[in-house]
Amino acid sequence: MANQATLILIKPDGLKKSLTGNILTRLSETKLEIVAAKIARASKELAEEHYQHLKDKPFFKEIVRYICGELHNRRKVMALIYWGEDAITKCRQLAGSTNPEEADPTSIRGSYGRITTSGVYENVIHVSANEADAEREIKLWFQPDEVIVNLYPTKEVAGKERKIKTWA
Ligand code: UDP
Ligand code: MG
């Protein structure tokens, strides 16, 4: 099996419940390499793009609000890229099923997830489902310079004279 990359998001409920350490410890069982990591804020546009495959579902609006942090008053996620052999299967296995009540109780979602009274699966973590999704999602959440390996082809574009912020 060739090396794969997967996007992991610790969702706003995972951050609010102080689960970052626990989740990263669980994921370290995979022996995969972390090749990018940051705290990021999902705009509505980014969230809608991220969940575009679910845009016709009745719960779409709620999961967009969820990943943006509006349900937890915590407008951030931790975004990471895990890389190595069979990364997607390994991470999805540790994450467990989408529905936290159906997830293996020892999995991350089984241990820490819940279903809200309005029916949203608050399952503390996102893991890309397959290689095509992983590539699409990684390109949404990260720029090439933020990743320490070359995952996908890049191109150089002439910098339009644009101001960048630096430390004063
Ligand atoms: N979700 C939900 N109810 C559903 C299906 C999905 O609340 O019936 C939420 C859940 O938080 C899930 C996310 O929408 O993680 C994305 O759904 P997907 O089917 O992509 O599941 P995943 O790949 O996250 O396991
Ligand atoms: Mg998915």
Side-chain angles (χ1 to χ4, degrees), residues 29-159:
E29 291 169 24
T30 60
K31 306 283 198 317
L32 296 165
E33 213 181 307
I34 298 173
V35 295
K38 65 180 176 184
I39 296 291
R41 186 163 284 169
S43 64
K44 189 160 174 270
E45 293 69 37
L46 173 57
E48 286 176 350
E49 193 63 36
H50 177 80
Y51 282 134
Q52 50 133 348
H53 63 297
L54 299 170
K55 66 175 185 301
D56 297 326
K57 301 280 186 196
F59 53 82
F60 179 68
K61 264 196 163 152
E62 274 306 282
I63 61 172
V64 166
R65 292 185 65 222
Y66 170 26
I67 203 75
C68 288
E70 287 177 27
L71 305 184
H72 299 90
N73 198 19
R74 191 145 307 209
R75 285 164 206 282
K76 58 187 176 182
V77 299
M78 184 165 188
L80 306 104
I81 303 173
Y82 278 75
W83 185 74
E85 203 178 304
D86 227 357
I88 295 173
T89 317
K90 284 176 179 163
C91 292
R92 282 200 68 101
Q93 189 124 32
L94 278 178
S97 301
T98 307
N99 178 340
E101 279 185 7
E102 286 170 4
D104 181 322
T106 65
S107 68
I108 296 169
R109 288 167 163 181
S111 303
Y112 304 121
R114 68 171 196 139
I115 303 180
T116 65
T117 43
S118 59
V120 178
Y121 300 166
E122 287 188 2
N123 51 15
V124 306
I125 186 176
H126 168 82
V127 183
S128 309
N130 54 56
E131 284 193 44
D133 277 6
E135 177 170 351
R136 190 180 66 78
E137 293 170 1
I138 285 169
K139 288 176 174 176
L140 270 179
W141 287 88
F142 286 96
Q143 292 301 316
D145 281 346
E146 297 178 301
V147 188
I148 59 150
V149 292
N150 295 321
L151 295 176
Y152 311 113
T154 55
K155 62 180 178 187
E156 308 254 304
V157 290

